[in-house]
Amino acid sequence: MKVLVAVKRVVDYNVKVRVKSDNSGVEIANIKMSMNPFDEIAIEEAVRLREKGVVTEVIAVSCGVTQCQETLRTAMAIGADRAILVETAVELQPLAVAKLLKALVDKEQPGLIILGKQAIDDDCNQTGQMLAALADLPQATFASKIEVADGKASVTREVDGGSETLSISLPAVITADLRLNEPRYVTLPNIMKAKKKQLEIFKPEDLGVDVTPSIRTLKVSEPPKRSAGVKVPDVATLVAKLKNEAKVI
């Protein structure tokens, strides 16, 4: 069984994000980029399933600029067998990515598709759900545990007030949550091996997908700076300030 794992190149989570001076977006020039942490968890889970013997091949997929090849090489260093890059300079939105992944699902016919539940740059949390709808596949989101056997996947997911376990038929779409696993450390020998693994490159038009953005960002701005706190002499003053100044009561 093949597993298709989508990975995204994002600003590294340790970097302090800054807004461009013209408020057109976030500054990414000369900024450290890395794999989206939730996607790293998805790759790790796919590799673990292969190590258990329930999966035969792990395919990493990324959509975006040429530099996404670095992200795919990292995925192959973690353990993916090969990679596919859908190369485009167009700003990709969740629906466009879902359409590209749908085309690759039709081409590769994987038994399981695993994605990170969301990307840390746009926080959309939409691509996995949209892919499941487009491909007409069952889905399980926010997975904290995955077990695959007998053509089904048992997925434990976190919900308000606890957790629930779903049983879904394969092929299916699963999105990985933070508690699913802890990704392994990438060793130098595996980084060297990843350079020799197969990496295919397609264009969106090769897959018959129109990735023209349907939403335009008008303005990006930083949140307002928090004002300093003040000390009050008594409870009556505190209540007055909450009522008259903060207007929260």
Side-chain angles (χ1 to χ4, degrees):
M1 180 176 74
K2 293 181 186 177
V3 175
L4 195 73
V5 184
V7 298
K8 185 177 184 181
R9 179 176 180 262
V10 299
V11 175
D12 189 88
Y13 67 92
N14 288 312
V15 173
K16 180 174 173 57
V17 176
R18 300 185 184 278
V19 175
K20 290 181 179 178
S21 57
D22 61 357
N23 296 109
S24 62
V26 172
E27 187 62 65
I28 60 171
N30 302 316
I31 295 293
K32 182 183 178 184
M33 308 291 282
S34 61
M35 186 189 302
N36 179 47
F38 290 103
D39 299 341
E40 197 172 353
I41 291 169
I43 279 283
E44 173 67 27
E45 190 64 23
V47 173
R48 290 187 186 190
L49 288 172
R50 190 192 61 206
E51 290 170 348
K52 290 177 183 176
V54 296
V55 166
T56 55
E57 186 179 29
V58 177
I59 308 165
V61 178
S62 191
C63 306
V65 295
T66 307
Q67 290 87 337
C68 290
Q69 291 185 37
E70 300 168 13
T71 308
L72 289 171
R73 293 293 178 194
T74 301
M76 289 189 284
I78 292 173
D81 298 293
R82 60 187 174 95
I84 299 172
L85 170 62
V86 182
E87 188 177 348
T88 176
V90 177
E91 181 186 350
L92 294 174
Q93 293 171 355
L95 181 57
V97 176
K99 288 179 178 179
L100 292 171
L101 293 176
K102 162 67 165 57
L104 291 174
V105 166
D106 292 342
K107 181 177 181 295
E108 295 288 343
Q109 295 293 308
L112 185 62
I113 305 102
I114 308 179
L115 306 87
K117 72 169 184 177
Q118 66 193 75
I120 62 172
D121 53 0
D122 56 22
D123 270 340
C124 281
N125 180 20
Q126 296 175 341
T127 306
Q129 293 90 325
M130 287 177 171
L131 173 61
L134 291 171
D136 194 23
L137 294 175
Q139 63 173 307
T141 56
F142 313 135
S144 58
K145 184 179 179 183
I146 301 173
E147 294 178 350
V148 178
D150 302 323
K152 291 184 178 293
S154 175
V155 180
T156 302
R157 60 191 300 269
E158 295 183 2
V159 295
D160 292 340
S163 64
E164 67 178 9
T165 301
L166 305 176
S167 177
I168 55 177
S169 302
L170 300 180
V173 176
I174 297 175
T175 65
D177 207 343
L178 196 63
R179 292 176 181 82
L180 180 58
N181 61 54
E182 185 174 340
R184 68 194 66 189
Y185 178 76
V186 179
T187 61
L188 183 59
N190 286 337
I191 292 173
M192 301 307 292
K193 288 177 186 176
K195 292 181 179 180
K196 298 180 181 179
K197 292 183 179 180
Q198 179 185 355
L199 196 161
E200 296 179 86
I201 300 177
F202 295 97
K203 300 286 186 184
E205 48 269 27
D206 297 335
L207 301 173
V209 178
D210 179 13
V211 294
T212 305
S214 55
I215 300 173
R216 184 164 58 93
T217 301
L218 299 178
K219 182 182 179 183
V220 176
S221 58
E222 293 186 6
K225 290 190 170 131
R226 295 179 63 180
S227 57
V230 295
K231 290 184 178 180
V232 293
D234 50 46
V235 175
T237 308
L238 173 63
V239 173
K241 283 184 175 291
L242 290 174
K243 185 175 182 180
N244 301 323
E245 295 181 18
K247 299 190 185 298
V248 294
I249 59 174

